[in-house]
Amino acid sequence: MKKTQNNGFILIVDDNPTNLSVLCEALNSEGFRFRVAVDGESAIAQAERNQPELILLDIQMPGIDGFETCRRLKANPVTQNIPIIFTTALADTESKTKGFSLGAVDYIPKPFAQEEVIARVRVHLQLKQLTESLEQQVNDRTKDLQKAQVQLVQQEKLSTLGELIAGIGHEINNPINFISSNIPPLQEYITAVTELLLLYEQEYPNPTAKITNTIENLDLKFVLEDMGKILNSLQIGSERIQNLSNSLRNFSRSDSDAKIPADLHQGLDSTLVILQHRLKANGDRPGIEVIKSYGILPEVNCYLGQMNQVFMNILANAIDALDEAIMEGKKSNLIPQIKITTEIDSEKLVIIRITDNGIGIPERLKKRLFEPLFTTKTVGKGTGLGLSIAYQIVVDKHNGILEVNSQPGIGTEFIIKIPT
């Protein structure tokens, strides 16, 4: 029979020297590594300290018996998955049933037959390896399915959001172009009419009573001054709407099959314009101050539409954290701030840091932030997909790095690193 090589070991638990000798000889003859314990307490201590591949456990021992030893091992998360085979002279059905109910996988009767011991040990070691392999495959497949699900959701969101925003931008663009293009000639006409009225006033300083009353009722001087101000307001308003339209179209830029050089600062600014309504003061909190500390960045080969979605998800989360901090009274005197810093490091990685001074994230939750469907928000306020989508875009689509630093009560920083 071929010798068995295994990196792990088998723990033999028996207080009888003869039984120990037989079991040790049988395992040694087949190349199994093993260790020995003579009572239940020491067996539990050894298994907790260094987990064996399999335990051969005698039932009748001094101190705690094999049943109690098995119960404690199965109750401990560290040792609960170790297969246990009882070695016993008890052959009654009640003892076997009790052992199986406690989690044992098999029985080896005494006196031992060496071939039977080796056969049962081999079978259960193989079963353990197959189970672990199957669990790993299931875990890998689950992760793959979650990843595929997130990708599908992300693609659908990008497509739907892109079409919606592009459509809105287009619909805004047409009327605002009409308005802005008509402001200059209107301004010329008003200027010409104003000059004409002033000329009339100079040429005919003594108008009729009816004209005088009309001028006084109209408050002509005020109207002429105010028309200029109204035109100026229209000009400023139309420029703002044009900027918003441009930001919407830039944010929803369709991604080509290949990455294209893009200005990430433009993407950040477009995202901030779209989020402007959430940054403004409301009845619950003051306005959020956005501090931009932009470095000099080269154009980056990327899918800009997807990178804009990363910025949107992270900035929206930062706003949510600041809202929560103030609304729940966790930072009553908080002056809400979001700081955006960009730079390029010595390894030619573009680094974008988005930092808020909100409530921060506990360490136990921080490790799970990028998991699909995991969210720290209350029911109905988060899908658990935003950050997992951002992670896939940065890491999988751009070969970058997405990290988070956070201190509860101080704030949170997301760090995006992507190659140029």
Side-chain angles (χ1 to χ4, degrees), residues 54-92:
L54 180 71
I55 298 176
L56 297 175
L57 178 60
D58 187 21
I59 290 180
Q60 296 175 316
M61 296 183 295
I64 61 172
D65 63 11
F67 291 134
E68 177 62 17
T69 302
C70 180
R71 187 192 68 78
R72 293 190 189 181
L73 287 168
K74 292 301 178 182
N76 187 340
V78 176
T79 57
Q80 64 182 2
N81 293 323
I82 302 171
I84 296 175
I85 300 176
F86 278 123
T87 60
T88 181
L90 300 176
D92 60 286

Side-chain angles (χ1 to χ4, degrees), residues 49 91 117 160 172 201 218 230 239 251-252 291 398:
R49 189 167 53 250
V117 171
T160 304
I172 291 175
E201 189 177 36
L218 181 62
I230 291 172
E239 288 175 358
F251 181 87
S252 63
I291 303 170
H398 293 86

Side-chain angles (χ1 to χ4, degrees), residues 330-359:
K330 296 176 181 178
K331 284 191 170 185
S332 56
N333 297 321
L334 176 69
I335 300 175
Q337 290 181 341
I338 295 175
K339 184 174 182 179
I340 306 173
T341 305
T342 65
E343 62 181 335
I344 186 165
D345 68 5
S346 58
E347 297 179 359
K348 302 300 181 182
L349 288 175
V350 169
I351 301 176
I352 301 166
R353 302 175 189 271
I354 300 176
T355 308
D356 67 72
N357 60 340
I359 58 176

